[in-house]
Amino acid sequence: MFRTPVDRAAPQTPHQDLHSEQGALRGEHPGRARNPVIKVADLAWLEFEKPDLDRAEVFARDFGFAIAARTEQELWLRGTFAGSPCMVIRRGRASRFIGPAFRAAERGDLDRLARAAGNTVRDIDVPGGGQSVALLDPSGFPVRVVYCAEQLPALSEQQPLILNVGTEHRRTNATQRPPREPSRIQRLGHVVLETRVFLRALDWYLDTLGLIASDFLFLDGQRGRGPTMAFIRCDQGSTAVDHHTLAMHLGPGTGYVHSAYQVTDLDAIAAGGEYLAERGYQRSWGIGRHIQGSQLFDYWRDPDRFMLEHFADGDLFSCDLEPGWAPMSASGLAQWGPPVTRDFLGTNPPPAKLREVMSALRGDNELDPARLLGLMKAMNS
């Protein structure tokens, strides 16, 4: 997780051009737990299964990952920053997302979490070694909280370009020629999940892992029923961290939406995107700049149809900022960039997705016809 000290002398204006346009109303969700079991330090890695590890490795290198370890059964991917790997892909019969792993701030947090969950701390086979506690969130996702005593060393960086801005001429007698190469991944930033039990899952992550909300989105005319999307971050006190480590939204399915990986700057995003396009990969949406989180973004599909994001220049919040509240809409996803695509929104669903919708409407969850119509309206507004 990228961190920066907070300037206490700077004015704190949490709802003026920083994130959402307004704060909570009386009685609305506070966005944090009073006494969480632990406070995780960061998102460690994501776990997937895929039948073809060779194909997965080719895409990983093209997207900009480095290889931390490779066996016949596992592929560990990493970024250039020192720390833990970004992703593990295990050989499986079908391509599927397993769940996230969060990094414990200290080894003792695993013991506290294990006692609270009635579970045990176990050794895990990860480059450098480590231990974990296995949990299950209300959506049914397996969630690990891990502690790794050894960090992977830093790798060489893709250097940011030197820019001439206004009257500040930092580059003279030299041309600007960013190489056409993969956008070198620095680190894992966040994961986005869809769930039918949004409020239950939200409270679980706040109560169990100590995450706190940065922004809530609500459906038009339904704010009184509570939010339907949350961008939540780690609580590192006065140290500012990523605007969101985990984002969740209410929907008819339970699954992975996308994951995001930091790169150096806009040129790294753009040149890396050209590199991917030349190799036949599908861009889902981009390039643009988000509103919640403010990241520069570019979304791509891997050969198994999983969505991954290159991002740069995201917001960093300390614990001082309270959640913002804003209406959910497709047009509210970006400050600038091309119109959001149907592929990104999932508004051209296959038959299996339609069956999922019907199943959700019949099930014991938070999706009902009013919620579903509100989500459909939001994605077309």
Side-chain angles (χ1 to χ4, degrees), residues 201-213:
L202 171 66
D203 288 341
W204 185 87
Y205 281 98
L206 306 190
D207 293 339
T208 307
L209 305 186
L211 299 175
I212 59 178

Side-chain angles (χ1 to χ4, degrees), residues 1 3 39-44 102-103 189 209-214 231-237 239-246 317-319:
M1 176 183 297
R3 307 175 182 179
K39 293 183 178 182
V40 293
D42 201 357
L43 187 61
F102 292 85
R103 179 169 62 85
L209 305 186
L211 299 175
I212 59 178
S214 297
F231 298 86
I232 55 181
R233 67 189 187 275
C234 296
D235 181 0
Q236 294 293 315
T239 299
V241 301
D242 290 332
H243 171 273
H244 56 283
T245 302
L246 170 65
F317 285 4
S318 71
C319 71

Side-chain angles (χ1 to χ4, degrees), residues 1-38:
M1 176 183 297
F2 188 81
R3 307 175 182 179
T4 187
V6 174
D7 181 3
R8 293 294 186 178
Q12 297 296 311
T13 55
H15 305 302
Q16 297 176 20
D17 302 323
L18 280 179
H19 49 130
S20 293
E21 59 197 30
Q22 57 184 304
L25 304 177
R26 183 182 296 275
E28 288 187 318
H29 199 295
R32 61 186 71 196
R34 290 187 176 183
N35 188 28
V37 178
I38 66 169

Side-chain angles (χ1 to χ4, degrees), residues 280-300:
Y281 298 109
Q282 178 194 345
R283 174 181 271 123
S284 181
W285 181 35
I287 299 171
R289 186 182 281 277
H290 280 306
I291 294 179
Q292 277 76 30
S294 302
Q295 300 95 337
L296 296 162
F297 66 81
D298 197 17
Y299 292 91
W300 294 84

